[in-house]
Amino acid sequence: QVQLVESGGGLVQPGGSLRLSCAAFGNFANINAMGWYHQAPGKERELVARISIDGTTTYADSVKGRFTISRDNAKNTVYLQMNALKPEDTAVYYCEMLIRRTYMSSLLGYWGQGTQVTVSS
């Protein structure tokens, strides 16, 4: 069983910062890519940032220069540092990890439970 546990969401004023964390627990061989998605009410879930196993990062245009994704492989954790937050960043944020349960198995996608980020004055 693999479980992703998120933390760090909350209410922040425009221009403020938040740091999200997502840790993987359970039995698995390794973690490949890690990513953060968000979903606003009435909208589809969309990619915010992604970091590959070699550290290569990808960002949505809307967050470039404001958000930074990073990973700590020793802790099986991915982070999202969000600065200069805007009201349009308000959404539920989900982490995803591509995990190999054994060294012989295929990669499977696992999701966190979601954490609410609200940017409002």
Side-chain angles (χ1 to χ4, degrees), residues 22 31-37 47-60 68-73 76-81 95-99:
C22 173
I31 303 174
N32 196 286
M34 300 176 173
W36 287 95
Y37 293 71
L47 177 69
V48 174
R50 188 174 187 268
I51 184 167
S52 66
I53 194 170
D54 65 359
T56 303
T57 56
T58 303
Y59 295 94
T68 302
I69 189 171
S70 60
R71 62 191 287 169
D72 184 335
N73 294 326
N76 297 320
T77 299
V78 61
Y79 305 96
L80 186 67
Q81 178 66 44
C95 63
E96 187 206 20
M97 296 187 187
L98 297 180
I99 295 175

Side-chain angles (χ1 to χ4, degrees), residues 10-11 20 25 27 37 42 46 49 57 61 82-83 91 96-97 101 105 111:
L11 173 64
L20 306 183
F25 297 93
N27 295 316
Y37 293 71
E46 57 184 20
T57 56
D61 288 342
M82 304 186 292
N83 298 328
E96 187 206 20
M97 296 187 187
R101 296 292 305 275
S105 62
W111 291 90

Side-chain angles (χ1 to χ4, degrees), residues 93-113:
Y93 283 72
Y94 298 90
C95 63
E96 187 206 20
M97 296 187 187
L98 297 180
I99 295 175
R100 204 180 300 275
R101 296 292 305 275
T102 72
Y103 287 105
M104 298 299 292
S105 62
S106 301
L107 287 170
L108 294 176
Y110 292 85
W111 291 90
Q113 80 279 12

Side-chain angles (χ1 to χ4, degrees), residues 3-5 13 15 19 27-29 40 43 53 57 61 69 84-85 92-93 96 106 108 112 119:
Q3 185 179 15
L4 303 189
V5 179
Q13 293 186 342
R19 188 191 195 209
N27 295 316
F28 48 86
K43 295 188 177 181
I53 194 170
T57 56
D61 288 342
I69 189 171
L85 282 160
V92 178
Y93 283 72
E96 187 206 20
S106 301
L108 294 176
V119 184

